[in-house]
Amino acid sequence: MRVRLDGKDHFINRLGRFDDPVARARALSISAEIWSDAHQGGLDPTLNRYRPLVDGKDLDLLEALRQLMEKKNQARVTHTYRTVLRFGCSIKSKQDVDFFIEWMEQRGLAASTQSTILSTIRSVQPKNKALHKVHVKVPHRCVHQEVLSKKEIQQVLEDLKSNEEWFYPCFFFWMSTGLRNSELIGLTWDAVRLDEGEVLISKTLKRDGTATHRRIWGSTKTGKSRVVPINPQVVEMLRQHRLRMQELAMNTKSGLVFITPRTHRHLYDSGLEHVWKRSLRRLGLPIRRLYSQRHTFLSHALALGNSPADLAAVAGHRTEQLLNTYAKPTGRVLLPNW
């Protein structure tokens, strides 16, 4: 079926054969709907609303998401594609979108996840008015609760040292540097300079968007390398950690610094999260996200009086972004002394 709009031909396929009376009737019905919407000012110029479903699925939307998934290789795009595929219905009209949101809620998807999915669909269907008119209200996250106090930090590290000995060096280092997850997981021994008391962050092991536990090498988030200082306690911990890895015949020249206890391969977020939450539960502390390691380090470093510009360089952020995101109460208030 061919539709001519603004001097350009548009094709709506998958209607059936021309000699099929049912397919011809469907084409006439779609033509009448397009003509009516055009005269009433409600025409969808992308024609997405008028394209028929195949086995109940919007193949045009699925194909657009699949192409975006292959291009971006991001977990959020992959999740959106798989969610829309499972939904298996149209997401063209406001009624469709409302039903889609209700369907996601019934399956326990968080409001933030629903919002991300809708945003990803909008990116491949920017002229879908129904999608732009519907917004999911996402509860505001109290990021102040992400920051552990000094006492809580000490409690967690003591617990990890006693109960999660293999992972203790990883979390001690994490709490002392505030690296991003992918930077910590991708840290290699050739980037560790113990004599200089610093580590070079120039690469990451980021998540492959198409597989949960598969990771691929990439650059830092900003695309730039940076030097992160480490204190003498961390230097000594890393020396001991290296000795232990050498006893296990691990590569301590260019291999990964932190590895899994069984396979001796790279760590992954879900495994680290299990260890982290186990420790918090044992101590009776509020459950925090894994990313609170970074929030905690940078918030305490700011509270100790470090220059925001210096910390921004260490964290790989702009100064204003660092202050907006990580300047959280830590309980460390230095009172003036007259």
Side-chain angles (χ1 to χ4, degrees):
M1 174 180 173
R2 183 176 66 180
V3 179
R4 191 169 184 82
L5 295 174
D6 298 327
K8 294 182 179 179
D9 288 335
H10 301 264
F11 294 89
I12 300 179
N13 301 320
R14 307 186 187 96
L15 294 181
R17 297 178 60 85
F18 183 78
D19 56 1
D20 182 354
V22 175
R24 294 179 64 181
R26 186 184 298 119
L28 290 173
S29 176
I30 292 174
S31 299
E33 185 179 2
I34 292 174
W35 180 262
S36 175
D37 287 351
H39 282 274
Q40 295 178 12
L43 177 68
D44 176 6
T46 67
L47 301 182
N48 283 325
R49 191 194 314 166
Y50 314 104
R51 299 182 191 277
L53 303 178
V54 178
D55 295 329
K57 298 176 181 178
D58 187 342
L59 297 187
D60 293 299
L61 173 58
L62 286 171
E63 177 61 19
L65 288 173
R66 187 190 63 79
Q67 292 180 9
L68 183 65
M69 179 177 65
E70 292 178 352
K71 177 182 178 182
K72 295 290 187 180
N73 199 30
Q74 294 177 340
R76 66 174 181 85
V77 182
T78 302
H79 185 227
T80 299
Y81 172 77
R82 291 173 178 171
T83 301
V84 173
L85 185 63
R86 286 196 304 271
F87 178 60
C89 298
S90 171
I91 312 177
K92 298 178 179 179
S93 66
K94 184 179 183 305
Q95 184 178 2
D96 293 340
V97 177
D98 290 340
F99 179 58
F100 181 48
I101 293 174
E102 182 181 351
W103 179 86
M104 289 192 290
E105 289 176 350
Q106 291 173 351
R107 278 145 188 81
L109 295 182
S112 57
T113 304
Q114 296 177 31
S115 179
T116 300
I117 289 173
L118 292 175
S119 176
T120 305
I121 297 174
R122 289 189 196 102
S123 69
V124 298
Q125 290 190 342
K127 296 183 179 181
N128 188 326
K129 295 181 179 179
L131 281 171
H132 286 278
K133 290 180 179 179
V134 177
H135 295 278
V136 176
K137 186 176 181 180
V138 179
H140 179 67
R141 179 187 291 273
C142 184
V143 291
H144 293 177
Q145 297 175 354
E146 298 291 341
V147 179
L148 282 74
S149 67
K150 182 179 179 179
K151 181 180 179 181
E152 289 174 330
I153 295 171
Q154 293 171 339
Q155 288 177 321
V156 170
L157 291 178
E158 288 175 5
D159 176 79
L160 290 170
K161 193 171 185 178
S162 300
N163 300 295
E164 310 280 357
E165 185 180 4
W166 180 272
F167 293 98
Y168 167 73
C170 172
F171 282 96
F172 183 68
F173 181 85
W174 207 348
M175 286 281 197
S176 304
T177 57
L179 298 185
R180 295 183 176 92
N181 298 25
S182 58
E183 294 170 348
L184 177 89
I185 293 172
L187 182 66
T188 51
W189 282 110
D190 53 8
V192 178
R193 304 165 179 172
L194 295 179
D195 293 336
E196 292 83 0
E198 62 188 27
V199 293
L200 174 66
I201 306 301
S202 59
K203 59 185 180 299
T204 61
L205 259 181
K206 58 184 181 179
R207 286 185 298 176
D208 185 339
T210 60
T212 306
H213 291 162
R214 188 168 64 195
R215 294 207 167 231
I216 54 178
W217 288 103
S219 63
T220 63
K221 187 175 182 179
T222 60
K224 300 178 181 178
S225 300
R226 69 184 193 279
V227 173
V228 176
I230 51 178
N231 63 40
Q233 285 180 310
V234 176
V235 171
E236 181 58 28
M237 180 275 295
L238 286 175
R239 291 189 192 278
Q240 297 300 320
H241 180 59
R242 172 178 274 179
L243 289 175
R244 183 178 183 184
M245 293 297 102
Q246 288 173 346
E247 291 174 357
L248 294 172
M250 295 293 103
N251 179 1
T252 56
K253 291 186 177 181
S254 59
L256 292 171
V257 176
F258 305 113
I259 54 179
T260 57
R262 294 183 180 178
T263 63
H264 294 170
R265 300 184 65 187
H266 67 73
L267 298 169
Y268 47 95
D269 290 331
S270 59
L272 289 172
E273 190 170 26
H274 285 316
V275 175
W276 172 242
K277 290 184 177 179
R278 276 203 305 263
S279 178
L280 295 178
R281 291 191 185 99
R282 279 194 296 264
L283 295 168
L285 297 177
I287 300 301
R288 272 99 164 189
R289 295 185 303 162
L290 198 60
Y291 206 68
S292 62
Q293 318 281 341
R294 183 168 171 84
H295 275 282
T296 296
F297 169 78
L298 291 174
S299 296
H300 280 274
L302 281 169
L304 288 172
N306 286 288
S307 162
D310 289 338
L311 273 180
V314 168
H317 272 305
R318 297 189 307 274
T319 303
E320 60 273 19
Q321 185 179 5
L322 178 86
L323 293 173
N324 289 336
T325 306
Y326 297 104
K328 308 295 190 309
T330 64
R332 297 192 184 198
V333 179
L334 303 179
L335 301 177
N337 186 350
W338 308 122

